[in-house]
């Protein structure tokens, strides 16, 4: 009887808490984001009214892009592909370049964070190459590979290195010295110190670097594909602009933004599963 009363009290308390939280959740998750999107659409509509000969209104853009939206994976001949296939081609390049960059950047970041000599040797190179525009690497990549696809992946690889290296090194160097002193007292081997103390403690920093790298890589692929051509969302933007078809350009902008959001969300979910912590908000530096 007492157990039933306790359960009833818990259920009632849960219902009361939910009724209080529901309006706040609805406001923060639905209403305010919807107002933000409506503001952007209203601004687009106002600009289109003044430049209607070139810029379509949102309803006009929706109608003209209906075929792309309804049939994103159509194939109607060589080079005539739906926007879904173009998006997948760009994602493939970004993921390949990003993973290659992570494989190199994480060990290098660990080396810099654990060794002062490595930091002194590699830090000048990082500070020199980090500010270089990713597109400046494209002619070099084309000269090496002589093909657009591996050149684009190489540019993404270079782009992905620096944030991950810097954040990984910061995470490794920020590990509490008390933990390391205890490990030395216990005569813990170096590899166990790395796997049991340094690696878990630096994981949040590593994932922050990876998320920044992935965001920058997704930014860069559009510009790279504009220059190299071929199949990809970036070339789609350039091709539609060449035809003065801004309706499709607006569609591509929305698709690119949503894809970047989903990529970051997916990496954030992986971070929460690996570290058992809530993902940090990231910002490109």
């Amino acid at each position: 009887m007492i157990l039933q009363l306790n359960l009833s009290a818990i259920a009632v308390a849960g219902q009361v808490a939910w009724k209080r939280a529901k309006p706040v959740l609805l406001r923060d998750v639905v209403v305010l984001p919807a107002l933000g999107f409506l503001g952007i659409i209203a601004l687009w509509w106002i600009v289109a009214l003044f430049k209607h000969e070139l810029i379509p209104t949102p309803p006009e853009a929706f109608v003209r892009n209906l075929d792309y939206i309804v049939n994103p994976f159509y194939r109607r001949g060589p080079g005539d592909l739906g926007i879904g296939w173009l998006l997948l081609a760009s994602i493939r390049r970004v993921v390949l370049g990003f993973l290659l960059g992570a494989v190199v950047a994480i060990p290098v970041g660990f080396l810099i964070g654990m060794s002062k000599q490595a930091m002194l040797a590699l830090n000048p190179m990082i500070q020199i190459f980090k500010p270089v525009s990713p597109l400046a690497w494209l002619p070099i990549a084309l000269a090496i590979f002589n093909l657009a696809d591996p050149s684009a992946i190489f540019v993404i690889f270079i782009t992905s290195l620096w944030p991950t290296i810097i954040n990984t090194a910061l995470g490794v160097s920020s590990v509490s010295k008390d933990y390391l002193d205890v490990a030395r007292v216990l005569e813990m081997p170096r590899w166990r110190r790395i796997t049991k103390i340094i690696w878990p403690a630096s994981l949040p920093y590593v994932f922050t670097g990876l998320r920044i790298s992935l965001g920058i890589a997704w930014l860069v692929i559009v510009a790279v594909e504009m220059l190299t051509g071929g199949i990809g969302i970036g070339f789609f933007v350039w091709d539609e602009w060449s035809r003065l078809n801004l309706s499709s350009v607006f569609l591509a902008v929305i698709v690119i933004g949503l894809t970047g959001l989903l990529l970051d969300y997916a990496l954030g979910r992986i971070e929460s599963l690996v570290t058992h912590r809530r993902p940090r908000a990231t910002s490109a530096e």
Side-chain angles (χ1 to χ4, degrees), residues 96-158:
L96 284 175
F98 169 74
L99 291 177
L100 290 172
V103 168
V104 174
I106 293 174
V108 172
F110 258 80
L111 182 63
I112 293 173
M114 295 182 65
S115 170
K116 185 177 180 179
Q117 291 77 13
M119 188 273 290
L120 293 173
L122 298 176
N123 186 57
M125 180 191 70
I126 294 171
Q127 298 306 321
I128 289 172
F129 290 135
K130 183 168 66 75
V132 176
S133 169
L135 296 182
W137 295 100
L138 184 58
I140 299 173
L142 288 171
I144 295 172
F145 299 105
N146 203 28
L147 290 170
D149 197 53
S151 298
I153 294 172
F154 176 80
V155 172
I156 296 302
F157 164 77
I158 292 291

